[in-house]
Amino acid sequence: MTQTIADNLQIIRDEIKKLATAAGRDAGAVRLIAVSKTKPVEDVQAAYAAGQRDFGENYPQELKDKYPVLPEDIRWHFIGHLQTNKVKYIAPFVAVIHTVDSVRLIEEIEKQAAKYDRIIDCLIQVHISGEETKFGALPEEVGDLLKYAAGCPHVRMTGLMGMAALTEDTELIQRQFAGLQALRDQWQQEYPLLTELSMGMSSDMAEAIAEGATWVRVGSAIFGQRSYLNR
Ligand SMILES: *Cc1c(COP(=O)(O)O)cnc(C)c1O
């Protein structure tokens, strides 16, 4: 018997609760984003039928195409690299943008959100992995981005997002997540809305939850491996 998406979801939800409790946190303190990039709408519908409402997507065009054919009450999280000229595709409906890393991008989100009379929740993606290939602001740039966003009435900064290094070294992963948590704690003193920490994926969910993740972004453990063409 093969495991269904609903089975996988249940396993991940149980695992999240277990990890949160083991870390001395509330069982409900960590919420799950089901990352459906490259997966067909049928897979999203299967997860939706199993009660999932928060979904993550990486590509503006793909999200723009999926949005109108899926239920209205899905909260769409944008978690991929976002080019300023693509903001307009997702601004009418996106719930949270996790990957804000420049003033230019904030400026464009402000402009597009204003056009639709919306306030969009945003997280600053911080470069924590030390790897060349990952996007994100440097830790020392976070203050300037928060300051700029504070002057944008249609952008609400609610936290930080990060991706740890792709490594078997779980202590390194945990240190990187701990660093992001410390950075969030530091800036939360000045910006009390900064409550969210989006960190942890299928492979490093445990380390992220131990270090305070409030959102985990899980794809392959729910929907299966993606085609290598699409990462
Ligand atoms: C693809 C992706 C995920 C999910 O990764 P899995 O390893 O499939 O769980 C999470 N976060 C980001 C930013 C991603 O691009």
Side-chain angles (χ1 to χ4, degrees):
M1 236 182 66
T2 56
Q3 245 167 271
T4 65
I5 287 171
D7 295 336
N8 291 340
L9 260 176
Q10 196 51 55
I11 291 167
I12 296 293
R13 285 181 186 137
D14 291 346
E15 183 73 10
I16 288 172
K17 287 205 186 91
K18 209 176 76 189
L19 289 164
T21 308
R25 306 178 56 199
D26 235 36
V30 187
R31 285 151 299 150
L32 172 64
I33 297 169
V35 177
S36 49
K37 63 178 176 217
T38 81
K39 298 293 178 182
V41 293
E42 290 75 19
D43 287 8
V44 177
Q45 279 158 342
Y48 182 88
Q52 183 65 26
R53 291 295 178 271
D54 291 279
F55 290 87
E57 287 280 341
N58 285 57
Y59 309 104
Q61 185 66 50
E62 182 180 349
L63 177 51
K64 179 177 183 276
D65 293 342
K66 277 177 173 163
Y67 165 73
V69 297
L70 284 159
E72 278 275 358
D73 62 337
I74 287 180
R75 288 178 294 272
W76 290 105
H77 297 253
F78 190 83
I79 64 169
H81 177 60
L82 186 54
Q83 291 173 292
T84 50
N85 62 345
K86 304 284 171 64
V87 174
K88 57 177 179 286
Y89 294 150
I90 62 172
F93 62 88
V94 70
V96 186
I97 299 175
H98 290 233
T99 46
V100 173
D101 62 359
S102 72
V103 163
R104 270 189 67 217
L105 189 52
I106 297 172
E107 205 175 15
E108 181 64 15
I109 296 169
E110 169 61 25
K111 186 176 130 196
Q112 295 296 332
K115 201 191 288 183
Y116 296 101
D117 198 21
R118 303 188 65 217
I119 296 171
I120 299 180
D121 284 357
C122 292
L123 311 184
I124 294 175
Q125 180 179 6
V126 184
H127 185 95
I128 57 170
S129 71
E131 289 170 353
E132 289 281 327
T133 55
K134 300 273 161 69
F135 295 102
L138 297 173
E140 54 269 31
E141 295 168 337
V142 168
D144 284 346
L145 295 177
L146 288 171
K147 194 168 173 189
Y148 185 82
C152 298
H154 301 86
V155 173
R156 181 165 49 214
M157 283 296 176
T158 61
L160 304 182
M161 177 273 209
M163 293 171 83
L166 271 178
T167 170
E168 307 277 286
D169 183 349
T170 55
E171 277 175 34
L172 175 62
I173 291 172
Q174 199 142 348
R175 275 202 306 279
Q176 292 178 340
F177 286 149
L180 191 64
Q181 184 183 37
L183 192 65
R184 194 277 319 264
D185 290 351
Q186 178 200 324
W187 285 109
Q188 198 181 7
Q189 294 177 22
E190 198 171 327
Y191 299 94
L193 282 185
L194 231 53
T195 56
E196 307 286 359
L197 267 180
S198 168
M199 56 190 198
M201 332 201 301
S202 297
S203 59
D204 55 16
M205 199 175 81
E207 291 79 11
I209 292 173
E211 298 302 333
T214 61
W215 288 112
V216 289
R217 311 176 308 267
V218 179
S220 48
I222 296 169
F223 297 111
Q225 291 302 319
R226 290 175 295 275
S227 144
Y228 75 94
L229 279 175
N230 301 309
R231 306 169 47 197

